[in-house]
């Protein structure tokens, strides 16, 4: 493994993103929707950096999706855990750890937008935009990375290395 983004750089950037989100949503705090498991650590870190008065009005929930890797259904995404909260009329911010082909995020965007939120934006810690298959708008992006397989900060390799506080590339 090779460290791609060290702990202090990840922390610094998440702080910056949180300040941007706090400014954009001033007076109307968002409902955060994290995509499991990759977004969990990042979403908690974002919350750590948001101002205390905003936290009084912030809610969050999680969804989980899985994508088929088999040849026939390649690229198909399925919902494995739905939301508990209602998104209708809310300012929703979808949070993911990494956007690769974009299929997972596009799927969650469709799911949420059908439930009529009053606004809908996206946020990801890492973006491999060169690999995008489904075009989508990423409103808040932590780092643009090359087409390498990464672990850490929620990202796993066979369910391992999620808890790392830095981002590393598997060689
Ligand atoms: P997408 O649907 O192709 O955008 O894939 C997004 C999902 O694939 C992420 O939520 C991760 O679970 C997984 N993924 C994509 N690239 C990586 C990587 O480099 N490391 C770990 N997981 C990844
Ligand atoms: Mg995932």
């Amino acid at each position: 493994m090779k460290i791609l983004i060290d702990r202090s750089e990840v922390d610094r950037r998440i702080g910056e993103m949180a300040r941007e989100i706090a400014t954009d949503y001033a007076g109307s705090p968002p409902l955060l929707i994290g995509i499991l498991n990759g977004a969990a650590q990042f979403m908690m870190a974002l919350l750590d950096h948001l101002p205390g008065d905003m936290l009084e009005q912030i809610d969050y929930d999680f969804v989980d999706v899985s994508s088929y890797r088999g040849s026939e259904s390649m690229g198909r995404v399925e919902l494995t855990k739905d939301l508990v909260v209602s998104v209708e009329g809310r300012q929703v911010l979808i949070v993911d750890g990494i956007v690769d082909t974009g299929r997972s995020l596009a799927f969650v965007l469709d799911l949420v937008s059908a439930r009529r939120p009053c606004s809908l934006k996206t946020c990801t810690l890492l973006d491999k935009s060169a690999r995008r298959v489904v075009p989508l708008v990423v409103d808040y992006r932590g780092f643009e990375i090359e087409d390498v397989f990464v672990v850490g900060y929620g990202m796993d390799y066979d369910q391992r290395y999620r808890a790392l506080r830095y981002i590393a590339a598997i060689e």
Side-chain angles (χ1 to χ4, degrees):
M1 284 200 295
K2 175 176 166 259
I3 295 183
L4 214 61
I5 309 166
D6 69 22
R7 181 176 184 161
S8 63
E9 181 62 9
V10 177
D11 289 344
R12 188 200 58 77
R13 182 67 186 127
I14 293 174
E16 239 172 41
M17 295 175 85
R19 281 190 291 281
E20 206 183 325
I21 290 167
T23 304
D24 293 353
Y25 288 92
S28 53
L31 163 65
L32 304 180
I33 295 180
I35 306 177
L36 292 172
N37 292 335
Q41 203 163 315
F42 170 47
M43 196 161 94
M44 293 308 113
L46 270 180
L47 288 171
D48 277 346
H49 285 91
L50 289 174
D53 58 330
M54 192 168 214
L55 296 181
E56 287 173 16
Q57 297 174 67
I58 277 193
D59 296 321
Y60 68 79
D61 197 356
F62 289 99
V63 287
D64 198 1
V65 296
S66 73
S67 22
Y68 293 86
R69 302 276 176 222
S71 52
E72 238 176 273
S73 46
M74 181 78 174
R76 226 184 90 204
V77 179
E78 170 186 68
L79 185 70
T80 54
K81 185 220 169 287
D82 202 344
L83 294 167
V84 175
V85 301
S86 165
V87 303
E88 192 173 343
R90 309 287 301 268
Q91 312 243 39
V92 175
L93 179 58
I94 299 176
V95 180
D96 205 352
I98 187 165
V99 183
D100 184 31
T101 65
R103 287 193 180 102
S104 311
L105 185 55
F107 177 89
V108 176
L109 271 166
D110 284 351
L111 179 92
V112 172
S113 70
R115 297 176 185 180
R116 293 178 295 147
C118 79
S119 73
L120 185 54
K121 284 189 178 184
T122 57
C123 174
T124 186
L125 180 60
L126 306 174
D127 189 358
K128 282 195 216 174
S129 59
R131 299 240 323 147
R132 201 75 89 249
V133 171
V134 183
L136 46 83
V137 175
V138 175
D139 297 288
Y140 304 96
R141 172 188 293 106
F143 302 93
E144 170 76 49
I145 60 166
E146 316 252 292
D147 182 12
V148 287
F149 197 85
V150 294
V151 294
Y153 233 97
M155 267 51 73
D156 71 300
Y157 174 69
D158 264 348
Q159 304 306 325
R160 293 214 56 213
Y161 310 118
R162 285 193 200 276
L164 300 177
R165 290 279 152 181
Y166 51 85
I167 306 291
I170 300 266
E171 297 181 302

